[in-house]
Amino acid sequence: MINPIVWTDEAVVLLDQRALPEVETYVELHELDEVIAAIRDLVVRGAPAIGVTAAMGLAQAVRKMPLDVSGFTTAFDAACVSMEAARPTAVNLAWAVRRLRRLVERHLDEGIPAVCARMEKEARFMHAEDIEMNRTMGRHGSVLVPAEACVLTHCNAGALATAGYGTALGVVRAAVEEGKKVSVMADETRPFLQGARLTAWEMQRDGIPCTVITDNMAGHLMSRGDVDLVVVGSDRIAANGDVANKIGTYTVAVLAREHGIPFYVAAPTSTVDLAAVSGADIPIEERSGEEVVVIDGKRIAPVGVPALYPAFDITPAKLVDAIVTEEGVARAPYTESLRACCDASAARTEQREAAS
Ligand code: MRU
């Protein structure tokens, strides 16, 4: 299995996704600032992967924090604020930070060393839990995949974007494991090329047929019947089912609806933000236009011409046929179905916390 995030006793170790597919290299991160920079600079990316990495980064950082309650809480609070600011759209980051904050609040009276030990255990648990949830989600989602199908996906919502197995690609993997004949069409996903570099790499490693297309080919290929369904991941889902995902997802959803092709989203309940009433409440990360006009060190537009890079877009709920979570498949009206999934997940977490 692809392991994009590893935590040894000495360091948070990440598979450097900027170097793939040419080079498979890991970076070792010892300091909080290094982990934050790795998230910001896309060494690790994908909402669930960012959440797990953040948890490990914080659990590693608290080992060096003051041992008195006041000093510890001040340092921990500052670390949480810096961590959350690394990438604004992927809500799994804030979710992971909130989960560790809650743990600290509940157990502070046990003393700082005990809290640090609990945080380490929790971060490791979140890693294992993410893989487990993806497998469950995959099984729920594979019901939506016909016995023979071409699945178009955008960006990379695979093992690399999670602790392992993947969300959208987890659905593909589960369908293949069930014996279905599935192939993947991967939008290249300009400008970071998550589809061409990462999705294609993962699929090739697993022996799942995968064809890369440029982002502007999807409509044509749909019109000639080459795509059976679309499955994408998400960075944040609003309470009404509006979905934030990699820039270009909205275009794919509009095209899918035009051609009568089902459009599905696979994401864990940790990606659902019930505090966001609709997509309008989701902050969209704006990255530097330089990332658009410079490819592999080569500038492709005249110097001085501005470029825009909103990194995500919002697909309105009305274009989403179903949202696959680890708690089951949610369908419209999403305000009710997503809340039910989140309630089921929260009940499970509460049970576990009460037992520990
Ligand atoms: O900028 P990225 O590469 O972090 O964006 C990632 C995506 O948009 C993914 O589709 C999303 O996080 C889901 S990953 C399981």
Side-chain angles (χ1 to χ4, degrees):
M1 198 176 92
I2 298 163
N3 283 319
I5 313 162
V6 181
W7 192 13
T8 67
D9 280 339
E10 290 81 37
V12 176
V13 184
L14 300 175
L15 177 56
D16 190 344
Q17 302 194 26
R18 299 166 305 178
L20 289 172
E22 291 90 358
V23 187
E24 225 175 296
T25 175
Y26 283 81
V27 291
E28 287 192 7
L29 311 170
H30 299 268
E31 303 295 332
L32 180 73
D33 287 352
E34 292 174 340
V35 177
I36 292 173
I39 292 174
R40 197 186 47 232
D41 299 340
L42 311 179
V43 173
V44 61
R45 30 67 49 206
I50 294 171
V52 170
T53 304
M56 289 181 173
L58 286 172
Q60 176 176 256
V62 292
R63 293 173 179 165
K64 294 180 188 161
M65 287 181 185
L67 286 170
D68 66 290
V69 170
S70 157
F72 178 86
T73 23
T74 306
F76 179 61
D77 193 50
C80 289
V81 171
S82 311
M83 183 61 85
E84 271 193 60
R87 294 199 72 192
T89 304
V91 76
N92 302 60
L93 180 57
W95 167 87
V97 171
R98 207 169 45 242
R99 189 154 157 172
L100 291 188
R101 273 189 190 274
R102 209 172 51 233
L103 183 139
V104 169
E105 278 160 23
R106 283 165 65 108
H107 297 285
L108 202 53
D109 57 349
E110 295 171 7
I112 307 303
V115 166
C116 292
R118 279 187 180 274
M119 281 181 71
E120 179 163 341
K121 200 170 156 207
E122 186 70 1
R124 290 188 193 282
F125 177 80
M126 285 162 80
H127 182 268
E129 178 192 52
D130 186 60
I131 298 172
E132 192 50 42
M133 284 194 310
N134 292 336
R135 288 192 180 277
T136 308
M137 205 185 313
R139 284 193 293 274
H140 290 314
S142 78
V143 172
L144 305 169
V145 181
E148 233 180 89
C150 174
V151 177
L152 184 138
T153 191
H154 191 74
C155 194
N156 170 267
L160 291 167
T162 62
Y165 201 72
T167 56
L169 295 185
V171 170
V172 168
R173 286 191 165 99
V176 169
E177 282 163 20
E178 284 169 22
K180 294 182 180 177
K181 208 167 161 245
V182 181
S183 63
V184 169
M185 197 170 275
D187 278 355
E188 66 173 348
T189 318
R190 276 272 289 146
F192 192 61
L193 304 177
Q194 289 94 331
R197 298 190 303 104
L198 309 177
T199 295
W201 180 78
E202 276 193 30
M203 294 292 91
Q204 190 178 53
R205 273 180 66 128
D206 276 14
I208 298 172
C210 176
T211 304
V212 174
I213 61 169
T214 59
D215 298 335
N216 50 4
M217 291 177 189
H220 173 65
L221 295 171
M222 285 180 183
S223 77
R224 65 182 207 196
D226 290 356
V227 177
D228 297 301
L229 67 160
V230 176
V231 188
V232 296
S234 173
D235 285 79
R236 192 184 299 222
I237 301 174
N240 72 342
D242 288 352
V243 170
N245 193 46
K246 180 53 55 196
I247 190 74
T249 304
Y250 172 45
T251 317
V252 174
V254 171
L255 287 168
R257 180 56 55 92
E258 171 66 19
H259 295 95
I261 296 168
F263 179 92
Y264 301 124
V265 176
T269 49
S270 51
T271 301
V272 179
D273 179 6
L274 293 179
V277 177
S278 75
D281 298 319
I282 299 178
I284 299 294
E285 177 182 358
E286 290 281 339
R287 295 184 69 88
S288 165
E290 282 297 289
E291 294 181 45
V292 173
V293 292
V294 178
I295 299 178
D296 244 353
K298 180 161 170 39
R299 180 168 290 274
I300 56 159
V303 175
V305 172
L308 281 177
Y309 185 3
F312 300 93
D313 59 25
I314 304 292
T315 298
K318 66 178 182 194
L319 297 178
V320 179
D321 290 292
I323 299 175
V324 182
T325 76
E326 79 280 10
E327 301 296 339
V329 178
R331 293 202 186 251
Y334 290 111
T335 315
E336 289 155 35
S337 57
L338 285 177
R339 181 169 289 280
C341 289
C342 290
D343 285 351
S345 159
R348 203 194 313 279
T349 305
E350 265 167 41
Q351 244 177 13
R352 193 181 68 83
E353 284 178 355
S356 69

